Amino acid sequence: MTPEKMYDEFTKGIWKENPVFVQVLGMCPTLAVTNSAVNAVAMGAATAFVLIGSCFLVSALRKYIPKQVRITTYIVIIATFVTIADMVLEALVPAVHKELGAFIALIVVNCIILGRQEAFAGRNPPLPAVLDAAGMSVGFFIALMCLGSTREILGSGSIFGVPLFGPSYEPWVIMVLPPGGFLVLGGILLLFNWVKQRKLARRAGASA
Amino acid sequence: MSDLVWIFVGAMLVNNFTLYYFLGLCPFFGVSGRLQVAFRLGMATTFVMVITSLSSWALTTFVLPYAPYLKLISFIVVIASTVQFVEMLIKKVSPVLFRALGIYLPLITTNCAILFLALTQTSKEYSLIQGLAFAVGAGGGFTLALVLMAGLREELELATIPAVIKGTALSMIIAGILSMAFMGFAGMFSAS
């Protein structure tokens, strides 16, 4: 495998096939835990651990997993890694673990993870599978950070708990409540659409 | 009795699974194109929720005290088998519905609302009856959200909207407004 190919496998998850903004997968954790930047970081890290670990294991075992029961096998492998992540977070950062609540356990049913096993790790050798998983994790992490920091800045006037605007700032509370998650993600997707349309229009203009 | 009503209404309206906890968003955005299909998927999901609630109660009572680390794995296996059962049932009873639901039927397995239901029920230590009220309420709430969304999107197909907002961005913003509307239920019960 050439270095360029490896680089491609890694970077496609960050921009071209970004799991949240382009594929619109894994919405539930994306919206539910991004009311502050700290939660977004913890969620991103836990998901990355599960994704990379399970992609490696699935791709290493791909020749031994019978086709008929592959989904069940994947889910059991993923659930094992999630249980590990859950226990580790509970031991290291109990406060964050409490805040995220059931959403750590819900990584099991995050479609990004099962989707990568089915689409990539189940058919490729371990090295590209891990690179692919790492790229997707970075893309997911970036998306979580975008949402988490936007919502925290607008909704609490702070970032990572550090106040930004001083005491005169009136927090836009709706942004840290559930509707804010939908609205901010809607806004970001709108921005993506707009950029894409401008690019298309410019290309059409250049060829005409 | 009153706590049963509170659990039911709480799961259905006040803390609506989809619009408050952001659960089950994949089918919420994926299947909400047609009203009838949306309603039936909601019903299928509710059915899976009720079965899951029963079996996770049995698991927490009889198995998990001996092996707490198996919680996630055993729940997900139960959910996957229930979905498999529902899939066979629908395929037999209504092939038309089976085709209309398509990939979203097996995907009920990875609907986070169902796993969340099992986990919440365990952590709140609901009894069998309370768990059932919780499951029916949650399923009803999910169906309600799905049907509302489908109705709105059917109407929107007739409207002229700017090309730049079409697709997921618009659904997202509608969901935000719906979620705001559901926040109005928050004052219904003061104690949780």
Side-chain angles (χ1 to χ4, degrees), chain A residues 24 27-28 31-32 75 79 82-83 102-103 105-106 108-109 111 114 174 177-179 182-183 185-186 190 193-194 197, chain B residues 19-26 72-73 76 109-110 112 115-116 119 163-166 168-169 172 175-176 179-180 183:
Chain A
V24 202
M27 287 288 106
C28 314
L31 290 168
I75 286 269
V82 173
T83 310
F103 281 96
L106 288 181
V108 177
V109 287
C111 2
L114 193 62
I174 195 94
L177 294 174
F182 287 116
L183 294 179
L185 186 57
L190 203 63
N193 277 353
W194 184 68
Q197 281 211 338
Chain B
L19 296 169
Y20 184 84
Y21 285 125
F22 303 110
L23 298 163
L25 290 181
C26 305
L72 262 180
I73 298 179
I76 198 78
T109 313
T110 51
C112 29
L115 187 60
F116 184 81
L119 290 170
V164 69
I165 200 176
K166 259 189 190 146
T168 326
M172 222 35 107
S179 166
M180 255 188 245
M183 275 178 70

Side-chain angles (χ1 to χ4, degrees), chain B residues 61-73:
Chain B
T61 318
F62 300 116
V63 181
L64 291 184
Y66 307 104
Y69 50 86
L70 277 183
K71 191 164 83 179
L72 262 180
I73 298 179

